[in-house]
Amino acid sequence: MSDTLRIIPLGGLGEVGKNMTLYEVDGQRILVDAGLSFPRDEHLGVDLVLPDFSYLEDRPLLAIVLTHGHEDHVGALPYVLREVEAGEVIATRLTLAMVKSKLDEHGLGASTTLTEADPEAPPMQLGPFRLEFVRMAHSIPDCVAIVVETDAGRVLHTGDWKLDHTPVDGLKTDVGKLAEIGNRGVDLLLGDSTNAERPGMTGSERLVGETFRQLIPVQQGRVLIASFASNIHRMQQAAEVAIANDRKVTLVGRSLRKNMNIARSLGYVNLPEDALVSPKEAMDLPPGKVMILCTGSQGEPMSALTRIAYADHPNVEVERGDTVIISAKPVPGNELRVHDSINRLARLGAQVLHEEIAPVHVSGHACSEELRTLLSLVRPKALMPIHGEYRMLAAHAKLGRDAGIPASSIVIAENGSVVELTPRGVGIVDRIASGVTFVDGLGVGDVQDVALRDRRRLSEDGVLIIVTTLAVSDGGEIAPPELIARGFGENEELLDELRDEADRIAEELAEDGIDEIKLLQEHMHDAIAKLVYSRTRRRPMILPVVIEV
């Protein structure tokens, strides 16, 4: 058996989201996490952003192992399983239930083997990999770190985590087991870097529950709380406060309803059936008797909160006297959308509370003091920061140096870096092609950069379509062109000038006997583009169309 372990991050480095890491020994592979991210403003028309996982397609995976159920760790799983053969999917109980629901939607549930991971069970052997699971606290239940042991050494892959000493479900990060693994010896730590720049400790999830207990009883109108659909314990705490204050609870948002149903059926959430009402029933109740739990804390265009803010939701509306609590921090890149929703809600007369003005959110990720604690518990020989933008990885690397890890044993990698661990040390030895795969409607990977560039041009400068009719039967006579403009402006004087120019070009080409379609299109495009730019300093997309009759 080889004493070389290859670790290849396909996503999650230099960015927040789409976490995906490949472990490989002698051609045998496991994949840890399969996440996605959401499109930024420049990704026009794109629904989801996945890592480029084409490197996985040439041979099967022994397993895909998941640390927890957040979309940035499991969202790409159906798309990966369509293209890559995997022996099984391994995850904890709640994560498996959430994943199964997702796979069923994609028609993959029956063909995928799901295996439950138990942090209390003995390690499992998968080919050259010996896997052990450690319970970690995070903003979703059933989160684990993974110990990957091979002949090359022992690796601890933390996933997302924090040291929450008073978690809602009582299941703390297993500090004792981490210390015991540290005593065995950890050759490489792959650690969550999201909050590495933040000083101190991350607050407990119970702090948000305490804020709810102080805020909600004094509100007279409806209370609407928006959070991530997977933040089950936060919704549980909100619902408990609602019930204690004689308010009925309604769930708005498909993903939230689905996750809460799964969590209730598995016993992770205790929410009595008689406390729940439908959104329509909720709007018929007195405002002071209702709490609305909904999705849309990131300002997603079609989410429940955004539609409510724009008065576009079929069942729920906000009015003066209502209170909206946005119990989440905007993911980098989503700030403007969130601010738009807040402004719209304020315009409707609602009081809007968010983390900048009230303690209604805590992070699910470890801050610098917690990272120092983990480094002292585990005492790794080498460190590879993961899950974060480059500045976060660099801050985590500095914490590693402060903890006594030699600079030569700290690897700041990028997506596509090939990191090798051997008994002799760790380092970057190669690079593979990496990037992103766009999901646009039903298409996966068929939107390329050139399509996004064209969409960007259309959105910025519009389109001009020049339709020229070529009469082949009359010896190549060219009729006066027609001009169609969209998103280009209403300057009729300029459009008339462009029509005259197109007509002039058509006459010149007819006189010169040029009737080859490609040449006609090229001449028409160049002349019109030159005139448009000289008059407007804009570059609309120009589409010359030649019709032969």
Side-chain angles (χ1 to χ4, degrees):
M1 188 69 69
S2 170
D3 66 352
T4 300
L5 170 65
R6 285 160 58 98
I7 303 168
I8 306 174
L10 300 175
L13 272 66
E15 61 188 351
V16 174
K18 59 184 180 67
N19 301 290
M20 183 182 287
T21 308
L22 181 70
Y23 288 81
E24 184 175 24
V25 174
D26 277 345
Q28 298 192 73
R29 299 168 162 181
I30 61 169
L31 189 69
V32 174
D33 287 332
L36 55 72
S37 61
F38 294 97
R40 298 196 299 269
D41 288 341
E42 64 264 30
H43 296 143
L44 298 166
V46 172
D47 297 319
L48 302 170
V49 182
L50 315 178
D52 177 0
F53 49 84
S54 54
Y55 180 74
L56 304 177
E57 294 172 11
D58 63 340
R59 70 186 76 158
L61 296 165
L62 292 172
I64 299 175
V65 190
L66 306 173
T67 57
H68 64 285
H70 278 153
E71 287 293 293
D72 60 335
H73 289 257
V74 304
L77 184 64
Y79 304 98
V80 173
L81 288 173
R82 280 185 201 166
E83 307 295 333
V84 181
E85 184 184 339
E88 57 188 318
V89 174
I90 302 171
T92 52
R93 188 160 164 253
L94 177 64
T95 306
L96 272 191
M98 295 172 78
V99 160
K100 185 175 188 321
S101 171
K102 188 182 295 290
L103 295 178
D104 287 342
E105 287 180 11
H106 286 259
L108 295 165
S111 60
T112 306
T113 303
L114 303 178
T115 304
E116 185 176 331
D118 182 359
E120 309 303 324
M124 63 171 66
Q125 193 73 37
L126 276 177
F129 304 98
R130 186 171 181 265
L131 303 181
E132 190 174 355
F133 300 93
V134 184
R135 191 172 298 285
M136 306 294 268
H138 185 41
S139 54
I140 185 172
D142 255 8
C143 188
V144 290
I146 303 167
V147 180
V148 181
E149 197 168 335
T150 67
D151 288 351
R154 188 177 291 111
V155 179
L156 176 61
H157 188 119
T158 67
D160 291 354
W161 71 282
K162 67 177 180 178
L163 283 179
D164 190 339
H165 297 297
T166 56
V168 175
D169 59 3
L171 297 173
K172 307 173 189 177
T173 293
D174 195 341
V175 174
K177 191 168 183 178
L178 289 170
E180 188 263 320
I181 291 165
N183 289 336
R184 281 187 252 157
V186 172
D187 297 290
L188 177 62
L189 172 66
L190 272 69
D192 175 15
S193 306
T194 308
N195 279 350
E197 295 175 298
R198 289 194 186 183
M201 306 274 286
T202 302
S204 170
E205 185 63 33
R206 284 198 184 273
L207 294 175
V208 179
E210 189 56 42
T211 300
F212 289 164
R213 278 187 285 277
Q214 292 173 11
L215 286 175
I216 291 167
V218 298
Q219 306 303 325
Q220 302 298 313
R222 297 183 188 92
V223 175
L224 188 152
I225 298 179
S227 187
F228 287 108
S230 57
N231 203 334
I232 291 162
H233 284 153
R234 191 160 301 173
M235 296 304 190
Q236 163 88 62
Q237 292 188 100
E240 287 173 355
V241 176
I243 294 166
N245 288 274
D246 196 27
R247 288 179 183 261
K248 295 292 185 182
V249 177
T250 188
L251 307 175
V252 181
R254 190 180 68 90
S255 55
L256 174 61
R257 287 196 305 272
K258 184 180 76 172
N259 288 345
M260 289 296 278
N261 286 338
I262 291 169
R264 289 176 72 206
S265 67
L266 294 178
Y268 288 88
V269 166
N270 179 24
L271 188 54
E273 193 65 41
D274 61 2
L276 289 170
V277 294
S278 71
K280 282 185 179 178
E281 290 171 328
M283 297 309 290
D284 291 336
L285 291 171
K289 296 292 183 182
V290 176
M291 175 184 283
I292 301 163
L293 304 180
C294 75
T295 56
S297 60
Q298 298 300 304
E300 304 96 317
M302 295 305 294
S303 66
L305 183 65
T306 303
R307 296 186 67 186
I308 292 167
Y310 280 79
D312 184 46
H313 197 278
N315 299 318
V316 179
E317 59 185 42
V318 164
E319 55 194 34
R320 189 165 301 281
D322 293 347
T323 300
V324 178
I325 299 173
I326 300 179
S327 186
K329 178 184 173 68
V331 171
N334 289 350
E335 293 89 351
L336 287 178
R337 289 178 182 171
V338 174
H339 293 162
D340 282 347
S341 293
I342 292 172
N343 286 323
R344 286 279 177 172
L345 291 163
R347 190 184 290 259
L348 293 172
Q351 175 191 14
V352 185
L353 302 175
H354 48 88
E355 72 157 1
E356 292 177 22
I357 58 176
V360 293
H361 173 68
V362 294
S363 174
H365 299 270
C367 288
S368 60
E369 283 306 314
E370 293 155 280
L371 296 177
R372 284 193 178 97
T373 300
L374 181 68
L375 288 166
S376 64
L377 278 172
V378 173
R379 304 183 302 283
K381 295 176 185 172
L383 171 66
M384 178 175 159
I386 57 172
H387 301 356
E389 297 173 6
Y390 192 90
R391 59 195 170 89
M392 302 167 186
L393 305 182
H396 197 174
K398 183 179 184 304
L399 293 173
R401 288 194 298 274
D402 293 345
I405 301 173
S408 59
S409 297
I410 297 176
V411 179
I412 298 187
E414 299 176 337
N415 293 337
S417 297
V418 178
V419 179
E420 280 194 356
L421 173 68
T422 70
R424 296 165 294 284
V426 64
I428 299 173
V429 298
D430 199 0
R431 176 162 189 84
I432 64 162
S434 66
V436 296
T437 302
F438 295 121
V439 178
D440 182 2
L442 295 176
V444 180
D446 54 357
V447 177
Q448 305 298 328
D449 287 343
V450 64
L452 288 179
R453 185 194 67 202
D454 288 347
R455 290 177 183 181
R456 204 170 296 123
R457 285 183 62 192
L458 285 168
S459 73
E460 291 170 354
D461 294 327
V463 60
L464 280 172
I465 303 171
I466 307 148
V467 182
T468 307
T469 304
L470 177 64
V472 179
S473 55
D474 292 341
E477 185 178 333
I478 302 174
E482 295 179 36
L483 202 69
I484 302 168
R486 291 291 181 270
F488 181 63
E490 300 298 326
N491 189 336
E492 284 299 330
E493 189 177 323
L494 175 60
L495 292 177
D496 288 341
E497 186 178 358
L498 292 173
R499 286 190 189 95
D500 293 342
E501 177 68 4
D503 204 10
R504 185 186 68 78
I505 296 296
E507 289 176 4
E508 279 186 11
L509 294 172
E511 287 172 9
D512 295 342
I514 296 174
D515 57 7
E516 204 281 318
I517 289 177
K518 288 289 183 190
L519 287 174
L520 286 172
Q521 289 175 325
E522 188 177 322
H523 281 281
M524 195 67 74
H525 175 280
D526 292 351
I528 294 298
K530 186 177 179 181
L531 180 58
V532 167
Y533 187 74
S534 71
R535 295 287 186 272
T536 67
R537 288 298 184 268
R538 290 164 66 187
R539 299 187 189 276
M541 181 174 286
I542 296 174
L543 301 176
V545 179
V546 177
I547 302 172
E548 290 183 307
V549 294

